Amino acid sequence: DAGITQSPRHKVTETGTPVTLRCHQTENHRYMYWYRQDPGHGLRLIHYSYGVKDTDKGEVSDGYSVSRSKTEDFLLTLESATSSQTSVYFCAISQDRGDGYTFGSGTRLTVV
Amino acid sequence: GQQVMQIPQYQHVQEGEDFTTYCNSSTTLSNIQWYKQRPGGHPVFLIQLVKSGEVKKQKRLTFQFGEAKKNSSLHITATQTTDVGTYFCAGNSGTYKYIFGTGTRLKVLA
């Protein structure tokens, strides 16, 4: 969907390095989410935001932090990447908390 | 915490056969959503169910929400090769957070 973009699309990084993934939306939606997708686990919520500078933890938040300084941008940071954080990361947006999500195309992250 | 389970994990069907995936929550849900993810793609929102016992249809897809609002199903009639993908349910217990099921991967054999 053109209204939400993730960058980078692919990244390979070394264990112990910091990594930041970016989610950018042009829909002016209030809610933004970061999920990770792993085989056998489906989609698991890492962090979410319900407004600028308003964020909260999801199911699997350990090792991750987020920031949202503008409505359109939601950043996910891995402070010190580990091999267990190798995954596909999806950003999602929604207008209201009960609405269906629009997902970005994902970022495939490999930690070696 | 809330858990959402889906069965089956995989399903292979011949083109033209029907397909059903089931979603069960450990807690009562406010609403449930269904998504489809094509191979290599991202999840795409299909529908949301809110009312107890609700049934909604989208062409060959029929979605049901259980009377107790703890389970849901997606039924596809006469599958086509374009139905290939993974189907996820996502349940909300009244918070900002949707918990996704593990998904059912559908393969349609022509």
Side-chain angles (χ1 to χ4, degrees):
Chain A
D1 294 61
I4 176 171
T5 55
Q6 291 185 235
S7 59
R9 291 295 311 276
H10 303 270
K11 185 169 182 67
V12 179
T13 192
E14 293 186 348
T15 299
T17 61
V19 177
T20 295
L21 308 183
R22 182 185 184 229
C23 179
H24 179 77
Q25 60 140 331
T26 57
E27 304 295 322
N28 200 35
H29 284 184
R30 179 181 175 186
Y31 298 90
M32 299 186 75
Y33 313 84
W34 277 107
Y35 282 86
R36 60 177 289 175
Q37 185 171 38
D38 306 287
H41 291 279
L43 290 146
R44 292 181 293 173
L45 181 64
I46 305 171
H47 281 282
Y48 63 99
S49 171
Y50 46 96
V52 173
K53 297 187 180 178
D54 291 322
T55 65
D56 205 349
K57 297 179 180 180
E59 308 166 73
V60 290
S61 59
D62 288 349
Y64 301 95
S65 63
V66 290
S67 66
R68 191 169 179 199
S69 57
K70 298 184 291 184
T71 298
E72 55 265 37
D73 289 324
F74 193 31
L75 304 179
L76 176 70
T77 298
L78 289 66
E79 302 291 345
S80 177
T82 67
S83 58
S84 65
Q85 293 176 312
T86 292
S87 185
V88 178
Y89 290 85
F90 286 103
C91 177
I93 61 174
S94 67
Q95 177 75 294
D96 201 349
R97 67 178 187 177
D99 293 345
Y101 292 178
T102 300
F103 281 85
S105 299
T107 294
R108 184 173 294 277
L109 176 69
T110 303
V111 183
V112 297
Chain B
Q2 179 190 352
Q3 290 186 323
V4 178
M5 304 300 294
Q6 265 184 272
I7 55 170
Q9 190 173 2
Y10 302 97
Q11 184 83 58
H12 293 182
V13 299
Q14 287 291 137
E15 188 173 22
E17 291 182 340
D18 292 356
F19 160 77
T20 304
T21 174
Y22 300 90
C23 181
N24 294 288
S25 171
S26 58
T27 60
T28 301
L29 301 171
S30 297
N31 55 64
I32 194 160
Q33 298 176 347
W34 285 91
Y35 293 79
K36 176 183 178 181
Q37 183 176 23
R38 295 183 184 275
H42 58 276
V44 175
F45 173 73
L46 295 177
I47 207 161
Q48 177 168 275
L49 305 171
V50 179
K51 299 177 183 176
S52 169
E54 188 170 15
V55 178
K56 286 188 176 181
K57 293 190 175 185
Q58 288 181 349
K59 298 182 180 179
R60 295 179 293 104
L61 278 60
T62 301
F63 304 84
Q64 290 190 306
F65 201 8
E67 293 290 341
K69 300 184 76 174
K70 294 184 72 174
N71 58 74
S72 181
S73 65
L74 158 59
H75 179 82
I76 301 178
T77 303
T79 55
Q80 299 175 358
T81 55
T82 53
D83 295 325
V84 165
T86 302
Y87 293 85
F88 292 97
C89 63
N92 184 310
S93 296
T95 68
Y96 295 115
K97 300 177 283 190
Y98 277 89
I99 303 300
F100 279 74
T102 48
T104 295
R105 185 180 298 178
L106 172 64
K107 188 169 184 175
V108 180
L109 307 172

